[in-house]
Amino acid sequence: MATLALVLFTFLALVSTQAFASDPSPLQDFCVADPMSEVLVNGLVCKNPKDIKPEDFFFPGLDKAGDTSKNPGSNVTLVNVEKIAGLNTLGISLARIDFAPNGGLNPPHTHPRATEILTVMEGTLYVGFVTSAPDFKLFSKVLNKGDVFVFPKGLIHFQFNIGAVPAVAFAGLSSQNPGLVTVAKAVFGSNPPISDDVLAKAFQLDKKTVDWLQAQFSN
Ligand SMILES: *[C@@H]1O[C@H](CO)[C@@H](O)[C@H](O)[C@H]1NC(C)=O
């Protein structure tokens, strides 16, 4: 009986792991996305393998810095399945992140479908992530050139340039389409806006402050 319970528990544990938002494993060498297909599946439909070319696995120009002149002073160049159709079903993507000197910020955000591993190529970043309830513990670190840090899937994280020179980092993400939820934008800049009664109560602010924040984050 105990053995049966253990088998059942193990089975349920495996099944529930599958139900979390990880990219599924590929069932063939590759499944290059066909952007023209009108069929909707989980991911993207495969192009005919006969029509696949090296370019389907290629993206140029990640040596170029993004423009960081706009607030909050960072620029993410994400190479996901939209940029490389060959990433479809492979569960991985790559980002270049540029930061303006003296405070360029990649603001607190989460990737619903990806863990991120980041390395600093130039500059000095203060980075961190916060664990989920009930602890909400901050794990933070100052990273210099060559340092690597991991942001676990789904957790809110940020990167902040505390140096006087531009910073650049590269990050691998464990999804062909990691997704992005920027906290301030999602909460104060949703379309249509969340009722200011809700936000005033949730953030313990007066409604005038909420309205001001909503004006900053709407576009
Ligand atoms: C990021 O940089 C690119 C290339 O300079 C630019 O076209 C784009 O507008 C920038 N994005 C933001 C959000 O500033």
Side-chain angles (χ1 to χ4, degrees), residues 43-203:
L44 297 157
V45 168
C46 312
K47 272 208 282 199
N48 188 329
K50 289 199 313 255
D51 302 331
I52 308 302
K53 302 195 166 60
E55 285 67 32
D56 290 313
F57 302 93
F58 173 76
F59 177 86
L62 219 53
D63 58 320
K64 308 240 173 14
D67 175 6
T68 60
S69 61
K70 281 196 227 96
N71 195 49
S74 70
N75 191 314
V76 180
T77 309
L78 177 64
V79 185
N80 63 3
V81 70
E82 281 172 32
K83 306 274 180 61
I84 300 185
L87 282 178
N88 191 40
T89 74
L90 296 183
I92 196 166
S93 54
L94 178 68
R96 173 184 175 125
I97 315 169
D98 289 285
F99 301 85
N102 300 308
L105 174 67
N106 190 9
H109 64 277
T110 79
H111 305 293
R113 289 175 292 277
T115 289
E116 174 173 344
I117 181 166
L118 174 140
T119 187
V120 177
M121 303 307 290
E122 294 294 342
T124 307
L125 297 175
Y126 165 62
V127 308
F129 67 83
V130 177
T131 67
S132 54
D135 293 340
F136 300 109
K137 184 171 175 176
L138 172 67
F139 288 79
S140 69
K141 192 101 182 130
V142 171
L143 304 182
N144 291 297
K145 185 174 180 171
D147 293 346
V148 179
F149 200 73
V150 173
F151 306 98
K153 179 156 70 179
L155 300 187
I156 291 177
H157 60 281
F158 61 87
Q159 298 113 16
F160 187 51
N161 184 2
I162 56 172
V165 295
V168 58
F170 286 85
L173 294 122
S174 63
S175 171
Q176 68 179 36
N177 179 24
L180 172 65
V181 180
T182 307
V183 177
K185 174 75 182 165
V187 171
F188 293 105
S190 69
N191 182 21
I194 299 174
S195 151
D196 57 3
D197 290 310
V198 170
L199 295 180
K201 194 155 197 180
F203 288 85

